[in-house]
């Protein structure tokens, strides 16, 4: 019984959404089918992206020793850690949700929290694939201006998030993965 309650709490949002969708289906079949089609498409996209990412994560977890990652991205990494976090984030491929498993591995391996935030922000804002598309579609001036705004923005955001996180929250986060 206790396990069932845990599962219901964990999937509460999904179950409420499903209930609302079922109720909505009585009033509008087209919204119901459109919602199911969109959900199905999103699930298929996620299933096409996640397997290669999980393979890369497994290799990263095995091939990169914790000490090595801490040396280059840990608390004493300095500017090298920031540059490495930006580089890894900017050459990444895939949607934002694909960065979350990478983030978990970085936490597990002992990367500095601000470097992890830099990595995630870089994944979102300064991906090379996005820059190439932007350059061809919107021109080099727009791309350059956006990049000149985003890079300091990524660094400021990382610093602020790290500053605003309490030591207890950070310790809890790192202890969860170790």
């Amino acid at each position: 019984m206790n396990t069932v309650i845990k599962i219901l709490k964990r999937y509460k949002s999904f179950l409420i959404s499903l209930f609302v969708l079922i109720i909505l289906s009585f009033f509008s079949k087209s919204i119901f089918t459109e919602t199911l089609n969109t959900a199905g498409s999103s699930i298929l996209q996620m299933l096409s992206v996640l397997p290669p990412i999980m393979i890369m994560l497994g290799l990263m977890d095995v091939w990169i020793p914790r000490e090595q990652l801490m040396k280059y991205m840990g608390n004493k990494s300095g500017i090298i850690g920031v540059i490495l976090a930006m580089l890894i984030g900017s050459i990444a491929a895939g949607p934002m949700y694909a960065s979350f498993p990478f983030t978990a591995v970085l936490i597990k391996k002992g990367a500095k929290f601000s470097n992890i935030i830099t990595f995630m922000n870089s994944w979102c804002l300064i991906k090379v694939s996005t820059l190439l598309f932007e350059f061809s579609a919107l021109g080099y001036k727009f791309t350059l201006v956006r990049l000149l705004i985003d890079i300091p923005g990524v660094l400021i955001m990382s610093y602020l998030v790290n500053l605003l996180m309490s030591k207890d929250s950070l310790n809890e986060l790192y202890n969860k993965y170790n």
Side-chain angles (χ1 to χ4, degrees), residues 20 25 32 47 54-55 62 90 116-117 129 133 137-138 141 146 159 169 173:
V20 169
S25 72
F32 177 76
L47 289 174
M54 292 304 170
I55 290 170
V62 172
S90 64
I116 293 170
I117 300 300
S129 59
F133 170 76
L138 301 171
K141 286 182 183 178
R146 190 185 71 77
Y159 176 76
S169 295
L173 179 68

Side-chain angles (χ1 to χ4, degrees), residues 2-90:
N2 198 15
T3 307
V4 172
I5 292 173
K6 278 186 178 180
I7 291 171
L8 288 175
K9 282 184 178 180
R10 183 176 189 171
Y11 295 104
K12 183 171 85 173
S13 297
F14 170 75
L15 293 172
I16 290 171
S17 299
L18 184 61
F19 179 73
V20 169
L21 183 61
I22 290 169
I23 298 297
L24 187 62
S25 72
F26 292 117
F27 299 103
S28 176
K29 297 284 186 208
S30 64
I31 292 176
F32 177 76
T33 55
E34 189 176 326
T35 303
L36 287 181
N37 288 338
T38 302
S41 174
S42 295
I43 289 170
L44 288 175
Q45 179 199 18
M46 186 172 57
L47 289 174
S48 71
V49 169
L50 285 181
I53 288 173
M54 292 304 170
I55 290 170
M56 289 189 315
L57 278 175
L59 294 174
M60 180 179 154
D61 200 19
V62 172
W63 287 349
I64 302 174
R66 177 180 168 88
E67 299 76 26
Q68 198 75 15
L69 194 119
M70 285 181 70
K71 177 181 176 184
Y72 292 107
M73 290 186 72
N75 286 330
K76 297 178 182 176
S77 62
I79 191 73
I80 299 291
V82 174
I83 291 169
L84 194 55
M86 286 186 95
L87 182 66
I88 293 169
S90 64

Side-chain angles (χ1 to χ4, degrees), residues 6 10 40 75 82 85-86 97-98 109-110 114 124 149 165:
K6 278 186 178 180
R10 183 176 189 171
N75 286 330
V82 174
M86 286 186 95
Y97 63 78
K109 296 277 187 177
S114 61
C124 289
I149 293 169
M165 286 287 289

